[in-house]
Amino acid sequence: MLVTIDGPAGSGKSSVARAVAERLGFINLNTGAAYRAVAYLALREGVEVDDGPALGDLAGRVGLTAEGAEIDGAPVPDEALRTPEVSAAASSVSSHPEVRRVLLSVQRAAAARASEDRGAVVEGRDIGTVVLPEAELKIFLSAAPEERARRRAAQSGREKELERIRAAMSLRDRQDSERETAPLKAAPDAVIVDTTDLSLDEVVSRVVELAQSLGRGA
Ligand code: DC
């Protein structure tokens, strides 16, 4: 079974996807890590974030497993991919069709391996719409912008920078939603869950129940 979880930054995607995968005994794939790995490589190798063809070549060196992203077959530590510089560059990098085309097959291959094995919970921005439109269960998480910024600040221990985080997040949201290729949006058959006033446990239980009801053929 394939479960997709899409939504903007701070909507709770990563925490929800991880916990749902654990409860269902599925593999969790965080596709943002692959985009971040391309951005990390671009910064390291001095490739401009507006050079689509060169970024597409870099994407060819990136892999994705349940453990995270790989570069040239070696795992990249998650901390290296979570800096504000990499976050900002990842949003620009992900707007290029050359990058998305390469990572599309990387993501599909990773999901196919995972779902053959057990099942997969695949998290990102365009998983239900573009990467795995055939998935049995599609979830789109949303939350109020202030709440998403608060969660991101708390998660990274940068509560004092709330306003800066909110501004950077709203810029990324705009870029991710307005880009021409595979913008952030809910699939027509996605279940939309507004997490603003829900606890992590409440969201996880709701998604697990939906998956189990499908598994029972309900
Ligand atoms: O989920 P994240 O914040 O780690 O994602 C990093 C960036 O990658 C984000 O700005 C949007 C982009 N991304 C994307 O365009 N498509 C995906 N499936 C996942 C992430």
Side-chain angles (χ1 to χ4, degrees), residues 13 30-33 35-36 82 87 90-91 94 100 107 123-127 152 172 176 179:
K13 278 185 320 266
N30 176 338
T31 64
Y35 287 92
R36 288 172 181 271
R82 301 258 147 223
S87 298
S91 181
S94 67
R100 304 203 72 86
Q107 295 168 91
E123 172 224 323
R125 299 291 191 292
D126 63 337
I127 311 303
R152 189 42 64 92
R172 273 218 292 153
D176 293 344
R179 70 174 172 234

Side-chain angles (χ1 to χ4, degrees), residues 57-127:
D57 288 344
L58 293 184
R61 296 167 52 188
V62 168
L64 185 64
T65 72
E67 277 69 50
E70 295 180 337
I71 292 177
D72 299 329
V76 197
D78 210 44
E79 309 82 74
L81 302 180
R82 301 258 147 223
T83 64
E85 293 74 24
V86 171
S87 298
S91 181
S92 309
V93 158
S94 67
S95 68
H96 296 285
E98 294 91 340
V99 172
R100 304 203 72 86
R101 197 175 317 118
V102 174
L103 292 188
L104 184 61
S105 41
V106 170
Q107 295 168 91
R108 283 184 178 157
R113 277 194 306 271
S115 64
E116 244 170 54
D117 189 14
R118 291 181 256 167
V121 180
V122 188
E123 172 224 323
R125 299 291 191 292
D126 63 337
I127 311 303

Side-chain angles (χ1 to χ4, degrees), residues 1 8 12 14 17-18 25 32 35 47 59 62 98 104-105 118 144 147 176 183 192-193 197 212:
M1 177 190 248
S14 299
R18 206 177 305 122
Y35 287 92
V47 171
V62 168
E98 294 91 340
L104 184 61
S105 41
R118 291 181 256 167
E147 173 64 13
D176 293 344
I192 298 178
V193 181
D197 298 316
Q212 286 172 338

Side-chain angles (χ1 to χ4, degrees), residues 35-206:
Y35 287 92
R36 288 172 181 271
V38 179
Y40 172 81
L41 260 179
L43 293 172
R44 198 176 74 184
E45 307 207 347
V47 171
E48 298 291 337
V49 294
D50 57 3
D51 186 346
L55 293 168
D57 288 344
L58 293 184
R61 296 167 52 188
V62 168
L64 185 64
T65 72
E67 277 69 50
E70 295 180 337
I71 292 177
D72 299 329
V76 197
D78 210 44
E79 309 82 74
L81 302 180
R82 301 258 147 223
T83 64
E85 293 74 24
V86 171
S87 298
S91 181
S92 309
V93 158
S94 67
S95 68
H96 296 285
E98 294 91 340
V99 172
R100 304 203 72 86
R101 197 175 317 118
V102 174
L103 292 188
L104 184 61
S105 41
V106 170
Q107 295 168 91
R108 283 184 178 157
R113 277 194 306 271
S115 64
E116 244 170 54
D117 189 14
R118 291 181 256 167
V121 180
V122 188
E123 172 224 323
R125 299 291 191 292
D126 63 337
I127 311 303
T129 50
V130 176
V131 180
L132 302 168
E134 76 284 12
E136 289 91 335
L137 177 60
K138 300 175 194 172
I139 305 291
F140 190 89
L141 297 183
S142 67
E146 290 69 27
E147 173 64 13
R148 296 195 285 112
R150 198 194 57 71
R151 289 177 190 170
R152 189 42 64 92
Q155 193 181 44
S156 51
R158 295 188 291 143
E159 285 88 346
K160 289 205 187 91
E161 299 171 52
L162 186 59
E163 187 44 38
R164 201 148 64 83
I165 289 174
R166 201 198 54 72
M169 194 178 257
S170 102
L171 176 68
R172 273 218 292 153
D173 281 351
R174 212 167 42 241
Q175 282 176 356
D176 293 344
S177 314
E178 291 177 1
R179 70 174 172 234
E180 270 175 40
T181 315
L184 168 68
K185 66 166 194 272
D189 52 347
V191 179
I192 298 178
V193 181
D194 182 342
T195 70
T196 310
D197 298 316
L198 297 178
S199 68
L200 175 61
D201 269 358
E202 288 171 319
V203 181
V204 171
S205 296
R206 192 170 296 183

